Amino acid sequence: GGARVHHGGVSSGPGGWGRTATAGTLARSRTGERGPTADPWGVCQGVIDLGPSSAGSIDVIELDAASHGRIEDTRDLRERAMFAPASSRFKVYIIDEAHMLTREAFNALLKTLEEPPPSVVFVLATTEAFRLPETIVSRCQRFDFRRMEISDIVGQLKFIAEKENITIDEESLVTIAKKGDGSMRDSQSIFDQVVAFCGTDIKYTEMASALHLIDEEFFFRVTDAISEKDTAKIFAIAQEVISRGYEIHETLQGLLEHFRNILTVIVTKETKLINTSAAFLDKYIETAKSFTKADILRYIQIISSTEQAIKYLPQPRIRFELALI
């Protein structure tokens, strides 16, 4: 009760973090017969028609700006917006990937936002809110999504595993969450892949092999060899990267994160800023004793310049070996 309807909304954030789902929920919350509500589920027929998504109601129109970005489409949308909703209180237009609209289309949309028909709501969903004109954004409510914490994703994956009678170790869960890059949707997709490969009893080593991941233990072997200045071991490690079929660029990215983790321990004297399983936290504390802050900053610089160099080399292996040495 007392909720107010704004005629424009911007739902922004990277893929898999809830932008489009929220656009659908906004549509449901505003189309109900009893007025705007924070709990729109099944309170009236208009909302029941929508179900858990915005499909199913002729008063909720979804457009993909990547394929409807032209001025003609937006003018057509303005004309259609003038018609009253068929069975709901509001007609809701969800424009996905709204940053793909042309400048002319934005100008046409702006006119509608400036003088909106009384029963029309626009929700712009986008992965790149910074590309939306300020004139559009200033006339809309903002709903910004940020990446989920690794611990929250791990907790949800644990819940799913228990529900489906899947045994999986913490190391695997953390790896899946990190690979999902803060997206619950992507993490669940990777989790499904792992179950397909490994069955219902998942151990980290088998999972790493199945998904062709570089074992975190591998990066500790690299830093051990560096601290011992063992050049022969470095050559053997580089050979292992090639023979296992690891991508050199991916290996450097993993090593960069590994050095960053060591740096956080050197600087903060704790492991709170490291996203890994408990099994490796003590290892980071131990490894950090072998390096200074200056060492790690220099290593990070070497990796960064190597990443740039190998983009243009037909034989990146030699440059990779030299960087490790």
Side-chain angles (χ1 to χ4, degrees), residues 33-52:
E33 295 153 16
R34 301 180 190 175
T37 173
D39 183 17
W41 299 96
V43 292
C44 58
Q45 193 56 47
V47 173
I48 293 167
D49 285 346
L50 285 170

Side-chain angles (χ1 to χ4, degrees), residues 165-177:
N165 294 317
I166 293 166
T167 307
I168 182 167
D169 55 32
E170 190 204 359
E171 208 174 324
S172 297
L173 290 170
V174 171
T175 303
I176 292 168

Side-chain angles (χ1 to χ4, degrees), residues 212-242:
H212 213 56
L213 301 175
I214 303 173
D215 192 323
E216 200 160 347
E217 189 75 51
F218 173 86
F219 296 117
F220 281 102
R221 284 171 49 213
V222 173
T223 40
D224 285 348
I226 290 170
S227 67
E228 294 160 13
K229 295 184 168 53
D230 190 333
T231 310
K233 195 182 283 184
I234 284 292
F235 271 116
I237 287 169
Q239 172 58 36
E240 199 176 320
V241 169
I242 305 303

Side-chain angles (χ1 to χ4, degrees), residues 97-276:
E97 296 304 348
H99 62 273
M100 299 290 283
L101 290 173
T102 62
R103 188 178 63 181
E104 292 81 8
F106 274 128
N107 288 337
L109 181 60
L110 181 59
K111 286 188 173 68
T112 311
L113 287 171
E114 284 173 335
E115 300 171 15
S119 56
V120 171
V121 173
F122 290 93
V123 184
L124 312 182
T126 177
T127 52
E128 300 179 29
F130 64 90
R131 287 175 59 183
L132 297 179
E134 187 55 40
T135 48
I136 297 281
V137 175
S138 64
R139 286 166 173 80
C140 296
Q141 281 181 303
R142 288 287 297 265
F143 303 90
D144 295 324
F145 292 83
R146 291 167 178 81
R147 70 177 63 206
M148 290 179 70
E149 294 290 339
I150 297 294
S151 57
D152 292 334
I153 295 177
V154 167
Q156 180 64 13
L157 293 178
K158 267 184 187 170
F159 172 76
I160 294 168
E162 284 168 15
K163 206 171 177 184
E164 298 184 8
N165 294 317
I166 293 166
T167 307
I168 182 167
D169 55 32
E170 190 204 359
E171 208 174 324
S172 297
L173 290 170
V174 171
T175 303
I176 292 168
K178 283 166 71 175
K179 202 167 170 58
D181 195 27
S183 162
M184 192 65 240
R185 182 189 67 192
D186 293 351
S187 298
Q188 282 181 292
S189 177
I190 296 163
F191 179 77
D192 289 342
Q193 289 177 45
V194 170
V195 173
F197 275 120
C198 304
T200 56
D201 187 9
I202 300 160
K203 294 181 175 62
Y204 176 75
T205 48
E206 293 168 13
M207 186 197 78
S209 175
L211 292 185
H212 213 56
L213 301 175
I214 303 173
D215 192 323
E216 200 160 347
E217 189 75 51
F218 173 86
F219 296 117
F220 281 102
R221 284 171 49 213
V222 173
T223 40
D224 285 348
I226 290 170
S227 67
E228 294 160 13
K229 295 184 168 53
D230 190 333
T231 310
K233 195 182 283 184
I234 284 292
F235 271 116
I237 287 169
Q239 172 58 36
E240 199 176 320
V241 169
I242 305 303
S243 62
R244 285 192 184 183
Y246 293 149
E247 286 284 338
I248 287 177
H249 178 76
E250 202 174 303
T251 306
L252 288 169
Q253 280 288 311
L255 200 53
L256 192 65
E257 184 186 356
H258 183 66
F259 282 134
R260 173 263 179 204
N261 290 345
I262 294 170
L263 183 63
T264 64
V265 175
I266 293 170
V267 172
T268 68
K269 309 289 189 250
E270 56 186 16
T271 58
K272 280 183 183 175
L273 297 176
I274 299 175
N275 287 316
T276 189

